[in-house]
Each structure stands twice: as C-alpha cells, then as structure tokens.
Amino acid sequence: MAIRWGNYATGPFYDELIQGRNKPREAAKSLCSYLRDLSDKDIEEYKVAASTAIHVMGITFTVYTEEEGSIDRAWPFDIIPRIIDKKEWSQIELGLKQRVKALNMFIDDLYNEQKILDAGIVPEDILTQSKNFLPECLGVKPKHGVWAHICGSDLVRDQHGTVYVLEDNLRVPSGVSYMLENRHVMKRVFPDMFEKHNILPVDDYPSELYDMLCQLSPRKTKQPEIVVLTPGIYNSAYFEHAYLAQQMGAELVVGSDLVVGDDDIVYMRTVEGLARVDVIYRRIDDAFLDPEVFREDSMLGVPGLMRAWKAGNVGLANAPGAGVADDKVVYAFVPDIIRFYLNEEPLLPNVPTYKCINKDERDYVIEHIDEMVVKPANESGGYGMLIGPHATKAEREKFVRLIRRDPRNYVAQPMLLLSTAPTLIDNKAEARHLDLRPFILSGSDISVTTGGLTRVAMRKGSTVVNSSQGGGSKDTWIVDMEDE
C-alpha cells in the first residue's frame, strides 16, 4: 500500500488530518482508512484523473517571470483534501462575520465621522500615510454601509491548534473560483466519498454572490444589469473573472465596453446600442478605476465612473477606498476596532504583530529580526517580505535599513509553526504547511463560504503557499459529524 500512516511524520506541527503516529482525527478517520487501502496504481490513476479534469475544464492561473513574461499554467492540485469538523467551523464562521462587520464599520467611519480617530483608538497618521485611503471617497455612504462586499481572510493554525487570522483581503480578493473548481474536480475523482459522507456544499457561492450584487442596484428591478469588470486576458486572475461572470450569467467587460453618460449613468456598449449598467463587480485596482480621478494614463478603467458611483447611479463592489482596511498596519488594530464598534471581544485572534511605527516595538523587531516575519504594509501574494529564520545575514541587514527608513511601511510577526496536512509527493503522503482563505459576502446580511481555498506550500519546510511562488491547493471539506 502506498500510504502508510504509521510512517507519516507530523513533526512538532499540528496536522489537520493526523494526530500522532497512525491516529487520524475523528472527522478524517474514514478518509484516512480509504486512502490507506489504495495501491500505488490506484493513487496514480486518481492523480491522472484529477490532472485530466483540470486540463479539460481549463483551470489555469497566470505566472509572470522576467524571462518569459506571462505564462498560463495548469492549476496545481493535491487530491488529499483538508478536513474540518462542522462544529469547529461554525465558531470560525462566527468570528469571520464579526471581523468583517467591524471592518466595514471602520471603513465607513473613516470616510465619514472618523469617531475612531477622535477616540484615539487608531492614530491619525496611520490614515494620512495610507496608500489606500482615498480622499475622493470622503462623505460617501454606500448601500448598507458596506464597502468591502467580498472579503478573503487568510487563516492559519499554530502548533497548538489555535486558528489565527493572518490577514484580511478587502480590495479585490481572488481565489474563490479555484475553491469551486477544486470541489468539481474532487467530485469527479472521488464520487463515492461524497455519497458516504456529509460534506457540506460550496456550489451555492455564485448564486449568493449574484444575490448580494443585486442588492447594490440603484434601480428596483427583478433583474438588474450586472457586469464583471476585468483588466483583460493578461491579468493573472482572468480565469476567475470569466468563470464568475459565466456562473452568474453576468456580462464580462473591459473598461472600453463601458461609458458614463452626461447623466452620470453607466452604460454598456452592445450591438443594439447603449444598455444601462446597475452594478459593477470590479476586479481592477482603485488606481486604474477612473482616469478622471486617479491615474490619468489608465486604459483599464472607465472615465466618469466615480461620478456615477457618488451620484448613486451604479453599485460598485468592492467600493473604492475599501483597501484602507487592507493595510497590514491597520490589521494590528483590528482587535481594538472590533471592541470599539461592536463592544465585543474578538472571536478569532490576530497573529501577535509588532508595529514598526512604535519605537519600542521597532527596536524589538530589529533586535530579533532573525526570529521575525517582516511584512510591508500593502504588498500581497507573499512579495516583499522577509522570513527571518530562513533569510541570509545580508537580507536581514537590508530589512533593518528598510524599517529604519520607513517604519510606517512595516509590521513584524513571530514565525508561527503553521499546521500541516498530508500531501502527495511522488505518491507518498508527506506533511506540508497550509493556510485557508474563506470568502465573506456582505450585503444586507453576511455569509461565509463553507470552508474556503486551502493553499499548500508544496516545497518541504516552506510556508509560502502562493501559487505564483510554487504553492498548490486542496479541496476543503467541512464535515458534519453529527449527521453521519
């Protein structure tokens, strides 16, 4: 047999499927028994079936390299799923809803009354020095008070099994299409597993997304005109843009397909003439959204779009300016933000975070930089960060200089011993580190995907899970043990 759990080593880490040598966690017992009985030939056939499904379904992502430019690659996928008991997931879901509710209240407050600044909970210079705070949004009151309609919060688990929020993605979070496609692939590969176990579905996300977007329509109509605004085919997330548009029955458009009229209403160019657009799910960064207001050289956005939005003639998701709460320095204040707006204790903890704008904390970070993960305030995708324990002396010295030059731009966190899960490496199960990105939709109410996108660091010992840097993914099973 190819997979022998007695030989599977978890090391000092919390493992999502195995607790100690040859002892599966309760929710994973049946899966581990099933996998143990597979032969090398069986496993190879399942891997080929998954690879074929990914190829046939056209599931790709784009990687940029200096040598070759943009390259489309097949989505990297591991057939051993990650499993979470529904009872535990229900608590995580409550924590995510609490967090996103408070963050939306925070954004709305920053662009209006600014009570949290007056109270001294968040320092004003955090705002004035934020790259993502848009003065153009001051005084705007979006529908339901929601700015970040789609949020992807990254979760990690430490060696004790505690789940932490690693960061919040509130601008244009990506990855949900891969969560959905991972499930489609697994249903093709292991259909019998879905018949035997109560694995909660994820397939309703496109309809929930559509319903939430409909709520943003300025017109009262049963079928508002919704479009997905993409930068185009060369964007790394273009697969997702096209996928979600197709699943929702919405039009996929680029900036030149839209025009804002003298009446400050957005129209879409069609063969039959101009058609009014009610809601735009935009996958373009703020800076490129409207050349009248932001970057004049942008060919991706729509001139006049901000005028139309501020006039209340079109819904935008996510709202411009939502990224002010995407800042990793703001992240450090989220527990206080929750207490301020909701008068509640956070249900999900932050990873302990040192703010380099604070001299004492900065001095501590510099002194212990070989133990720290140092992150710039507004980078994403794992870029621009230092993993102290794995860095060279020269790299650490470089970051000390960067921190001293611009302390506002950096935070630091202790290196967590991230949880692992069995992952097929040359047909053998080996422990690999992972994270989880659930997606939270906010409209008149808040909903959370059942699980999310599990990303895996395929290289042994690595904690970098991003697909652009060699990471892979798994299907995430939320299993209802009480109904089995």
Side-chain angles (χ1 to χ4, degrees):
M1 299 302 173
I3 297 176
R4 297 181 181 276
W5 297 118
N7 297 332
Y8 178 77
T10 60
F13 311 106
Y14 181 100
D15 194 87
E16 301 288 334
L17 263 60
I18 305 294
Q19 50 180 347
R21 184 117 10 215
N22 204 18
K23 189 179 179 186
R25 298 192 182 279
E26 192 64 35
K29 279 184 176 178
S30 180
L31 172 70
C32 290
S33 175
Y34 181 87
L35 293 171
R36 186 187 59 222
D37 293 338
L38 297 178
S39 66
D40 273 334
K41 184 172 180 289
D42 293 330
I43 289 174
E44 190 57 39
E45 286 176 354
Y46 283 132
K47 285 173 66 178
V48 169
S51 179
T52 301
I54 287 167
H55 177 73
V56 169
M57 294 160 73
I59 310 172
T60 64
F61 72 105
T62 305
V63 175
Y64 297 102
T65 66
E66 289 184 9
E67 300 81 22
E68 301 175 78
S70 60
I71 309 165
D72 278 348
R73 290 183 178 166
W75 180 241
F77 180 71
D78 183 69
I79 64 171
I80 301 179
R82 182 227 198 108
I83 293 183
I84 301 173
D85 191 323
K86 182 183 177 234
K87 284 174 71 175
E88 181 187 21
W89 181 253
S90 296
Q91 295 306 305
I92 294 171
E93 183 179 359
L94 287 174
L96 290 168
K97 287 182 176 181
Q98 177 198 54
R99 190 175 182 95
V100 169
K101 181 179 181 181
L103 283 169
N104 270 307
M105 293 173 76
F106 170 69
I107 301 166
D108 196 54
D109 185 28
L110 287 186
Y111 287 115
N112 290 280
E113 291 86 1
Q114 299 190 343
K115 293 176 182 176
I116 199 164
L117 302 184
D118 294 340
I121 305 297
V122 175
E124 190 168 348
D125 58 355
I126 295 291
L127 185 66
T128 56
Q129 296 176 37
S130 170
K131 291 199 310 190
N132 293 309
F133 177 75
L134 304 181
E136 296 84 359
C137 295
L138 286 167
V140 175
K141 282 283 190 181
K143 215 168 185 183
H144 311 300
V146 173
W147 294 73
H149 306 87
I150 302 104
C151 173
S153 290
D154 292 341
L155 307 179
V156 294
R157 198 195 293 269
D158 71 2
Q159 72 270 31
H160 306 297
T162 303
V163 173
Y164 292 88
V165 179
L166 184 65
E167 64 181 52
D168 304 290
N169 299 282
L170 300 155
R171 283 175 282 187
V172 280
S174 63
V176 74
S177 62
Y178 298 112
M179 175 195 81
L180 298 169
E181 292 288 49
N182 283 353
R183 178 58 54 86
H184 292 155
V185 171
M186 285 299 283
K187 282 184 173 179
R188 288 191 179 197
V189 176
F190 293 117
D192 45 341
M193 292 296 290
F194 287 86
E195 292 174 5
K196 293 177 184 175
H197 303 286
N198 193 7
I199 302 163
L200 301 187
V202 296
D203 315 73
D204 54 353
Y205 178 84
S207 60
E208 290 188 358
L209 175 62
Y210 178 81
D211 290 344
M212 183 275 291
L213 293 172
C214 284
Q215 294 175 14
L216 305 184
S217 174
R219 292 191 296 171
K220 290 185 178 178
T221 173
K222 285 187 177 179
Q223 284 191 305
E225 186 67 64
I226 297 173
V227 301
V228 178
L229 176 60
T230 176
I233 60 172
Y234 297 109
N235 184 268
S236 60
Y238 181 75
F239 169 84
E240 176 157 295
H241 307 164
Y243 177 89
L244 290 174
Q246 187 268 332
Q247 291 290 309
M248 290 191 293
E251 295 289 342
L252 182 66
V253 300
V254 294
S256 58
D257 293 326
L258 303 179
V259 61
V260 176
D262 294 336
D263 52 4
D264 290 344
I265 289 173
V266 181
Y267 296 93
M268 176 173 52
R269 293 184 171 96
T270 74
V271 292
E272 296 172 351
L274 295 178
R276 180 168 179 175
V277 171
D278 297 298
V279 182
I280 300 173
Y281 176 22
R282 56 100 175 196
R283 299 299 296 258
I284 291 176
D285 287 339
D286 290 345
F288 300 95
L289 202 54
D290 182 348
E292 283 187 4
V293 178
F294 304 119
R295 284 187 56 157
E296 294 179 5
D297 61 344
S298 173
M299 303 293 289
L300 303 177
V302 185
L305 186 56
M306 286 292 287
R307 277 191 286 113
W309 176 63
K310 292 170 84 168
N313 293 330
V314 70
L316 277 179
N318 284 350
V324 67
D326 216 0
D327 189 309
K328 292 179 179 63
V329 181
V330 169
Y331 161 91
F333 291 95
V334 170
D336 293 329
I337 288 170
I338 291 170
R339 295 182 188 104
F340 181 77
Y341 292 108
L342 303 179
N343 197 27
E344 299 170 358
E345 282 301 306
L347 298 174
L348 288 174
N350 270 18
V351 177
T353 303
Y354 297 91
K355 303 175 288 293
C356 293
I357 49 168
N358 179 298
K359 185 182 183 305
D360 291 342
E361 294 181 39
R362 178 169 71 247
D363 291 344
Y364 183 86
V365 168
I366 289 171
E367 187 178 339
H368 296 85
I369 198 155
D370 58 333
E371 305 166 16
M372 296 285 180
V373 177
V374 183
K375 300 178 178 179
N378 291 291
E379 290 287 346
S380 59
Y383 292 103
M385 59 191 280
L386 175 84
I387 302 178
H390 300 161
T392 64
K393 183 180 178 184
E395 288 169 336
R396 292 195 289 266
E397 288 174 349
K398 174 189 171 186
F399 264 77
V400 168
R401 291 193 299 272
L402 289 170
I403 290 168
R404 284 183 169 142
R405 188 183 308 152
D406 186 9
R408 160 65 178 86
N409 193 44
Y410 292 95
V411 297
Q413 297 168 334
M415 183 84 173
L416 291 185
L417 296 177
L418 298 188
S419 66
T420 59
T423 303
L424 284 177
I425 309 295
D426 298 327
N427 286 4
K428 305 295 182 186
E430 295 185 12
R432 291 294 185 268
H433 295 292
L434 37 66
D435 76 352
L436 178 65
R437 178 176 289 183
F439 295 87
I440 307 101
L441 296 176
S442 300
S444 57
D445 55 9
I446 303 173
S447 64
V448 182
T449 52
T450 310
L453 176 64
T454 289
R455 302 181 299 175
V456 190
M458 299 300 285
R459 287 193 282 266
K460 189 171 184 177
S462 173
T463 56
V464 180
V465 299
N466 307 82
S467 55
S468 58
Q469 299 192 51
S473 72
K474 292 173 173 286
D475 192 15
T476 309
W477 291 2
I478 306 300
V479 178
D480 190 346
M481 299 296 294
E482 294 181 355
D483 279 5
E484 292 200 354

